[in-house]
């Protein structure tokens, strides 16, 4: 196995850990942390895919844009959690379940 | 297995461990710091993949800016939510992603080496600002939308004090129907069909 | 560099316009920009189709499907812009400016999405689309329910984005390019198969495939009514078109994507209908019914993917149009009905609706009955086209699916019919007619008339849907 | 004659409906409605010469629709006339019946009635399968809205939705049939059904699809349960839609396409079986209920069952004749019942009785209608029912004839019971009532005249008379009628066996099946709603679960 392949597998593991985090964490901010971990995995995966094709700079530029998008997502999610804390008094996602059925 | 691959594996295992710590740490602040650590290690992975620009970006934005945001949000909240058990059984929470991962692995491994990798023309800058200029521009639009949205979300406290949770539009002709003062939908206890 | 075709301006204008609308703080700016968009769109229609424009390495191309999406986005966008003038009358000026700017960005994202021919570009447009949609759902961020809906929408969307990006990375690994045309010539490989899987989940989340739909009923019922109309009418469907475009590029992969789509369609139908059956909140019921209606489109597109016959896609595109009109109409009318209510609009509140707001009542009942597929309303005509293509020369199980879908439209009548009934059975004797502002009645009237017209003269859209269907059909030639 | 006149029976009522939408004063609305209905009756008469000269109205309607073709023949002219004339009488009747309604509700009422009358004419006149489906659904929509007409009655809303849903389920049969025909022959004219492109399997699908649609529309077993619930409609509506016209649409469909499907194995047997079971089921429903209108509804199911059996036995002409007669006498019975209900403000026969003296005209006309329903000679029901029985004797298996004869007895029994309970006996704790007003009288007398005179329409009346009078089955039927009425007169302890009858009704009526399927749908809907927990974590778990599942599918499907 060459290095990009190793990196890609590692990236998938990171995405998997992120998924585990979104499923096991109850705190909204921790869910945001888990999403960040997923995105780290995605960045590595994109760059590794570019590297495998000898197009490392293509992979880099895609990853740079994804990094921007993902940062905006994180900011929005954090702003939302600030608001959630204000309205619901807690960050526990189980409190956010009034829209049910 | 040569040295290069070993270094890679070590870095990735380190990043994964940090990630695991981040999602299992009881304190939010610890969690954010572990995330920063994972970010630094992934930046190293990126560097090792000979993507130095991206590594620097990840270090500054991913490990720096985002961590600051997280810490800010956590400090702002001052919340020390005690660790509560997850909402779904741990077996599912761990098992489902693991199963997805294994199945994906079964599908794609071993990752084939492309037969004739294209020879790349241009540097990171020319690619980002030349070839993918459109994407960069769309990203600017996204940043604008996100900023507006965050402004909206964070400013809604003022509206509450002004409008006091009444209605989205007021129609003076029609008195509001008797309703609970809260805005939660009343979904319980419906009449059957 | 070749001459810049008109549609590039079409895409660019909203991004210039959005800050302009936000910072100028004048409401007419948004209408000016939308008017300019219409002019450019008209000019573009005069030009030959499938024009291309390169920005760097990324190709933009306007084909039949793009024209259809653009036309629909502009129509709905204009009407909702008008509608919101009255709907947002009591909001603060800043909030309204924000709404307008985000609306423009949403329209721009829809226009761009229709033109994308590059996988990553497609993903990014979709991201922009959902980004502006999130923020519009969060418009009533001071309400806990809206906040909750936004949190779910954002989080689930982001998981979807991450999963689609894994698909993008896998494709890049295998093909070395992200151009959809290049990908379609790459042949079959397990990597592309896995990439397809990740992309179906990631983009399917935004297109509300069951069981990835859980964000939809919450978000669509909590957004302001005009925004719900846009979200249900076109945003979800645009994601579906994006998904189909990239699946079309993966057509050479040895897997029956068509069967997968049809299967998902059946799931969407039954799940959406059964969930909508017991809802008492009108907007939530409409949101669930969108899940079901996406099912019809999935079946239509799936038939094309299965056999390469463009008829199914044509029917699905027609259904996309009629659904956008009817569901948009239903949400707008429900918004008019809900005026002055503190809590969500329920079925019980509709009593005497025909007396209070005759036009809105008419619009809502035509919309729900049309969605339920009663001939000769537009909703029947589009379902009919899908059924016809599914029946002619398809394998037996597809015909069974068609019968299943037809049965489902009866099921949907069980929850649609009471809405129409409640409006006209005037239990609320105290109801008096409430004068409606023009900005409420005008969009309702336009959509009502157009949807009625489409029911009686379904041929009107034939060129449009035919071209769009042919675009998707050509990808799936066996 | 100009073929454009063919469109009159559709256009006159629709234009009238549009005009009514713009009116405000109730008196004017009544007037315009009656005027339109009468004008429509006259306009529809033109169909007789038009059908004689095989007029064809062709309207090119674009690529999707093809050519709209309206071509009246004797069958469609007959049905269109029934719709127009009974429609006109129902509208005249409504002037009194709907007296005192506010103008908004009245506009809705007359608008829908007129829309319905036009739709019904369109349904029988068109020669275009898709257009047929359009009219088919249009009349269902009108029926739905009119059943649910009364604002404060939740049973009305439920009955309306039930009728709509059940006829829609049947409508799928029609839809599938049309899909198959249009998909293979590429043409929606009725001729396309004869196209050689239709393979035998496909043809069978079309035939049985149409059969399901017809059974649902005509409230035949096992789809009959909507008709009794539809009795929440205003009574003129029950007379018009649920006795005289719309329920006949199914019979029309069968009559129209009988030549196409007669060779399908099992098709005619199925038709006869449905008919026979409906005859008995309907009779049972009529026998078991205390609600006057439900008795009539059960009777309608039962009489339509005779029509189905007759079509199945190949006696198309007899079926057409009975269809006409049934429309007249059942329309009469419903309007008479409406007059009584209007006066007494109840539908429960337990609270009636003794109306005979107070409403002599209503009583006389109702009696004529009842005798015709039972099949007493020389009234119209007698001739057509005997013709059907005769056809059954010669073309159907013996047990079917037996069941039909049993149905004759049950008819006599429940009719006797109904007339006795409403008109004889003592007036129980109720205010005295007066004879029906003028508009009602006009409608009742006209229809009663029709009951006596309609056999005269038959071109070969002499042949029919000799045929019927010489057939042994006629005597047998008359004997059974006497027996049935005698059981009623003796008041034999039906109540003792009522439990048994109810069990039979429940078992055969598939009410449990019906209820179970409704409950199953509701339960699954409720159960699924539980799945939407609204908890983010679980939503995300569903996403990851879907990813896992899809990966399994891809692994398996990609390996194949």
């Amino acid at each position: 196995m060459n290095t990009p392949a190793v990196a890609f597998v590692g990236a998938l593991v990171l995405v998997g850990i992120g998924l585990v985090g979104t499923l096991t964490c109850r705190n909204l901010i921790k869910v945001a942390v888990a999403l960040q971990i997923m995105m780290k995995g995605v960045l590595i995966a994109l760059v590794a895919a570019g590297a495998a094709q000898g197009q490392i700079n293509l992979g880099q530029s895609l990853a740079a844009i994804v990094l921007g998008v993902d940062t905006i997502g994180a900011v929005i999610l954090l702003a939302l959690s600030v608001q959630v804390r204000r309205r619901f008094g807690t960050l526990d996602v189980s409190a956010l379940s009034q829209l049910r059925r | 297995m040569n040295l290069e691959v070993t270094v890679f594996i070590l870095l990735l295992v380190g990043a994964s461990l940090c990630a695991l710590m981040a999602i299992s740490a009881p304190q939010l602040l610890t969690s954010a710091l572990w995330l920063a650590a994972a970010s630094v290690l992934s930046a190293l992975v990126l560097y090792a993949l000979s993507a130095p620009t991206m590594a620097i970006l990840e270090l500054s934005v991913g490990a720096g800016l985002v961590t600051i945001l997280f810490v800010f949000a956590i400090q702002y909240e001052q919340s020390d939510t005690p660790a509560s058990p997850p909402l779904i059984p741990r077996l599912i929470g761990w098992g489902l992603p693991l199963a997805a991962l294994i199945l994906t692995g079964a599908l794609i491994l071993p990752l084939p080496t492309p037969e004739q990798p294209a020879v790349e023309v241009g540097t990171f800058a020319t690619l980002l600002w030349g070839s993918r200029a459109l994407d960069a521009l769309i990203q600017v639009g996204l940043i604008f939308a996100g900023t507006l949205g965050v402004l909206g979300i964070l400013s809604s406290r003022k509206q509450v004090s002004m409008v006091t949770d009444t209605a989205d539009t007021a129609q003076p002709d029609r008195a509001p129907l008797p309703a609970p003062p809260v805005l939660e939908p009343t979904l319980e206890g419906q009449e059957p069909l | 560099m070749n001459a810049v075709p008109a549609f590039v301006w079409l895409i660019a204008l909203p991004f210039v316009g959005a800050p302009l609308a936000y910072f100028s703080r004048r409401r007419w700016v948004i209408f000016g920009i939308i008017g300019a968009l219409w002019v450019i769109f008209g000019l573009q229609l005069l030009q030959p189709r499938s024009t291309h424009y390169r920005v760097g390495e990324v190709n933009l191309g306007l084909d039949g499907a793009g024209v259809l999406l653009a036309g629909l986005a502009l129509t709905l966008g204009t009407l909702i812009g008008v509608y919101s003038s009255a709907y947002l009358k009591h909001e603060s000026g800043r909030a309204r400016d924000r709404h307008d700017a985000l609306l423009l960005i949403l329209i721009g994202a829809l226009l761009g999405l229709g033109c994308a021919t590059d996988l990553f570009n497609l993903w990014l447009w979709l991201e922009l689309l959902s980004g502006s949609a999130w923020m519009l759902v969060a418009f009533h961020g001071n309400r806990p329910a809206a906040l909750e809906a936004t949190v779910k929408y954002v989080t689930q969307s982001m998981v979807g984005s991450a999963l689609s990006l894994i698909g993008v990375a896998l494709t890049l690994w295998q093909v070395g390019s992200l151009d959809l045309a290049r990908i379609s010539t790459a042949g079959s490989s397990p990597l592309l198969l896995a990439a397809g899987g990740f992309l179906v989940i990631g983009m399917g989340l935004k297109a509300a495939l069951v069981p990835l739909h859980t964000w939809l009923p919450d978000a669509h019922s909590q957004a302001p009514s005009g925004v719900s109309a846009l979200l249900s009418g076109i945003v979800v469907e645009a994601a579906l078109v994006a998904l189909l475009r990239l699946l079309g590029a993966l057509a050479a992969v040895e897997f029956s994507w068509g069967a997968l789509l049809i299967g998902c369609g059946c799931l969407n139908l039954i799940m959406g209908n059964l969930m909508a059956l017991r809802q008492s909140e009108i907007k939530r019921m409409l949101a669930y019914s969108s899940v079901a209606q996406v099912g019809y489109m999935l079946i239509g597109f799936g038939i094309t993917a299965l056999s390469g016959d463009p008829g199914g896609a044509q029917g699905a595109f027609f259904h996309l149009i009629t659904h956008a009109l009817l569901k948009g109409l239903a949400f707008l009318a429900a918004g008019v009905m809900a005026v002055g209510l503190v809590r969500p609009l329920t079925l019980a509140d509709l009593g005497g609706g025909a007396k209070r707001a005759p036009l809105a009542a008419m619009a809502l009942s035509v919309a729900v009955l049309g969605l339920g597929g009663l001939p000769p309303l537009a909703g029947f005509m589009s379902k009919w086209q899908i059924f016809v293509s599914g029946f002619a020369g398809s394998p037996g199980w597809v015909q069974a699916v068609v019968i299943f879908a037809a049965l489902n439209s009866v099921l949907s009548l069980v929850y649609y019919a009471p809405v129409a009934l409640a409006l006209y059975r005037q239990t609320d004797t105290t109801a008096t007619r409430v004068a409606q502002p023009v900005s409420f009645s005008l969009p309702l009237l336009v959509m009502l008339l157009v949807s009625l017209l489409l029911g009686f003269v379904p041929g009107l859209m034939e060129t449009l849907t035919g071209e769009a269907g042919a675009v998707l059909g050509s990808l799936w030639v066996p | 004659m100009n073929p454009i006149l063919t469109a009159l029976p559709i256009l006159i009522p629709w234009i009238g409906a549009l005009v009514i939408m713009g009116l405000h004063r109730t008196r004017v609305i009544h007037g315009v409605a009656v005027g339109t209905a009468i004008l429509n009756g006259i306009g529809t008469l033109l169909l007789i010469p038009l059908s004689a000269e095989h007029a064809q109205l062709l309207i090119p309607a674009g690529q999707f629709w093809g050519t709209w073709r309206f071509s009246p023949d004797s069958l469609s002219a007959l049905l269109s006339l029934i719709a127009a004339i009974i429609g006109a009488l129902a509208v005249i009747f409504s002037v009194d019946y709907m007296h005192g309604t506010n103008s908004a509700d009245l506009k809705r009422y007359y608008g829908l009635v007129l829309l319905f009358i036009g739709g019904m004419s369109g349904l029988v006149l068109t020669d275009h399968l898709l257009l047929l489906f359009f009219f088919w659904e249009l009349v269902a929509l009108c029926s739905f809205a009119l059943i649910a007409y009364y604002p404060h009655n939740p049973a009305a809303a439920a009955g309306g939705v039930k009728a709509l849903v059940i006829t829609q389920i049947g409508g799928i049969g029609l839809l599938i049939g049309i899909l198959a025909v249009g998909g293979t022959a590429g043409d929606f004219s009725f001729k396309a059904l004869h196209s050689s492109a239709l393979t035998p399997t496909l043809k069978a699908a079309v035939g049985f699809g149409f059969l399901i649609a017809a059974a649902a529309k005509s409230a035949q077993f096992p789809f009959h349960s909507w008709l009794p619930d539809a009795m929440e409609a205003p009574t003129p509506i029950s007379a018009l839609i649920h006795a005289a016209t719309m329920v006949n649409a199914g019979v029309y469909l069968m009559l129209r396409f009988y030549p196409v499907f007669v060779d399908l194995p099992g098709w005619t047997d199925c038709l006869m079986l449905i008919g026979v079971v409906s005859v008995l089921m309907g009779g049972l429903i009529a026998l078991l209920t205390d609600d006057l209108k439900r008795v009539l509804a059960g009777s309608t199911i039962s009489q339509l069952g005779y029509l189905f059996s007759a079509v199945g036995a190949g006696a198309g002409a007899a079926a057409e004749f009975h269809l006409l007669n049934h429309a007249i006498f059942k329309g009469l019975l419903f309007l008479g019942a409406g007059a009584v209900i209007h006066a007494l403000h109840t539908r429960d026969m337990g609270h009636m009785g003794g109306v005979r003296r107070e409403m002599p005209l209503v009583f006389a006309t109702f009696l004529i209608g009842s005798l015709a329903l039972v099949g007493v000679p020389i009234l119209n029901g007698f001739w057509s029912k005997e013709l059907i029985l005769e056809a059954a004797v010669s073309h159907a298996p013996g047990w079917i004839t037996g069941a039909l004869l049993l149905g004759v007895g049950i008819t006599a029994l429940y009719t006797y019971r109904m007339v006795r309970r409403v008109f004889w006996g003592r007036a129980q704790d109720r205010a005295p009532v007066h004879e029906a007003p003028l508009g009602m009288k006009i409608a009742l007398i006209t229809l009663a005249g029709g009951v006596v005179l309609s056999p005269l329409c038959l071109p070969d009346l002499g042949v029919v008379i000799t045929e019927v009078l010489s057939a042994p089955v006629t005597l047998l039927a008359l004997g059974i009628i006497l027996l049935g009425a005698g059981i009623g007169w003796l008041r034999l302890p039906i109540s003792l066996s009522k439990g048994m009858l109810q069990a039979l009704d429940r078992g055969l009526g598939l009410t449990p099946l019906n209820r179970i399927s409704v409950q199953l749908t509701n339960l699954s809907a409720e159960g699924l709603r539980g799945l939407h927990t609204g908890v983010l974590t679980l939503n995300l778990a569903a996403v990851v679960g879907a990813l896992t599942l899809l990966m399994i599918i891809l692994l398996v499907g990609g390996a194949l």
Side-chain angles (χ1 to χ4, degrees), chain C residues 4-11 36-53 61-63 66-67 70 74 115:
Chain C
V4 180
F7 76 88
V8 177
W9 297 115
L10 199 62
I11 298 171
L37 284 175
W38 273 110
V39 172
I40 300 171
F41 185 59
L43 287 177
Q44 174 64 37
L45 284 185
L46 297 179
Q47 290 182 5
R49 288 282 186 286
S50 60
T51 40
H52 282 272
Y53 185 72
L62 189 68
D63 56 14
V67 169
L74 280 179
C115 299

Side-chain angles (χ1 to χ4, degrees), chain D residues 132-486:
Chain D
L132 173 83
F133 185 68
F134 156 52
F135 284 117
W136 186 271
E137 298 294 325
L138 183 73
V139 292
L141 193 61
C142 293
S143 150
F144 151 72
L146 282 166
I147 293 169
Y149 170 77
Y150 284 125
H152 299 290
N153 183 356
V161 174
K162 186 173 183 185
L164 186 66
V165 168
I166 292 185
T167 47
Q168 282 285 314
I169 289 175
I172 291 173
L174 190 60
L175 185 76
I176 299 298
I178 296 174
L179 274 175
V181 174
T184 48
D187 178 16
F188 290 119
S189 75
F190 286 0
K191 275 204 299 293
L193 278 166
H194 297 279
S195 136
S196 53
L198 229 53
T199 58
T201 4
L202 221 47
K203 199 165 174 178
V206 179
F208 284 98
F210 279 19
L211 184 59
I212 290 172
K217 199 73 159 182
S218 290
Q220 295 294 290
F221 177 85
F223 301 104
H224 61 274
S225 65
W226 67 266
L227 190 62
D229 288 356
M231 291 299 126
E232 303 296 335
T235 309
I237 298 307
S238 310
L240 174 64
I241 299 185
H242 306 123
T245 51
M246 189 187 83
V247 288
N248 287 337
V251 183
Y252 165 76
L253 200 67
M254 294 294 94
L255 277 170
R256 175 64 79 200
F257 296 114
Y258 178 78
V260 183
F261 303 125
V262 66
D263 296 329
L264 282 181
W267 193 76
T268 49
D269 295 331
C270 220
L271 203 54
M272 280 192 283
L273 190 68
I274 287 177
V276 163
V277 178
S278 306
V279 165
L280 298 176
M281 281 305 312
L284 219 54
I285 290 172
L287 211 52
L288 283 173
T289 178
D290 283 332
D291 180 328
L292 176 55
K293 285 183 75 178
R294 287 178 93 96
V295 174
L296 291 175
S299 154
T300 303
I301 295 172
S302 154
Q303 295 297 311
L304 288 169
Y306 279 105
L307 294 178
F308 265 63
S309 322
V311 178
E320 265 183 66
F321 187 34
H322 194 59
L323 190 155
L324 169 70
N325 295 338
H326 174 250
I328 298 174
F329 68 67
K330 193 51 67 61
L332 172 62
L333 286 174
F334 263 114
L335 290 185
V340 174
I341 292 166
H342 187 65
L344 290 176
H345 302 294
T346 175
R347 299 200 317 230
D348 189 347
M349 295 194 295
H351 297 290
M352 296 178 179
V355 184
R356 179 169 47 113
R357 288 186 207 85
E358 288 156 302
M359 306 177 91
L361 182 110
V362 173
F363 167 62
T365 48
F366 197 91
L367 193 64
I368 293 176
S370 307
L371 293 177
L373 165 65
V374 173
V376 169
I378 61 158
L379 296 171
N380 63 4
F382 167 70
W383 304 108
S384 46
K385 204 180 273 182
E386 297 306 334
L387 282 177
I388 289 177
L389 289 174
E390 218 176 293
V393 168
S394 43
H395 296 294
W399 62 272
I400 286 195
T401 320
L404 290 181
L405 281 169
L406 180 61
V408 171
I410 296 178
T411 310
L413 180 57
Y414 69 71
T415 311
Y416 182 87
R417 178 169 167 268
M418 167 175 73
V419 173
R420 173 172 59 72
R421 295 189 66 181
V422 175
F423 291 99
W424 266 277
R426 278 187 298 115
Q428 293 157 352
D429 55 349
R430 62 170 174 83
V433 294
H434 298 289
E435 182 59 281
L438 180 69
M440 291 190 179
K441 275 186 189 159
I442 295 176
L444 290 174
I445 293 172
T446 316
L447 283 171
V451 169
V452 182
L453 298 178
S454 75
L456 297 179
C457 302
L458 278 188
D460 46 356
L461 183 64
V463 184
V464 169
I465 290 177
T466 45
E467 208 178 294
V468 165
L469 292 184
S470 62
V473 74
T474 306
L475 277 179
L476 189 58
L478 286 176
I480 291 172
I481 290 173
L482 276 180
L483 191 67

Side-chain angles (χ1 to χ4, degrees), chain A residues 19 23 93 96-97 99-101, chain D residues 526 529 532-534 537 541:
Chain A
L19 280 177
L23 294 191
V93 291
L96 287 167
S97 59
L99 298 173
R100 169 159 18 114
R101 294 157 83 74
Chain D
E526 239 356 85
R529 287 184 67 187
H532 193 100
T533 49
T537 312

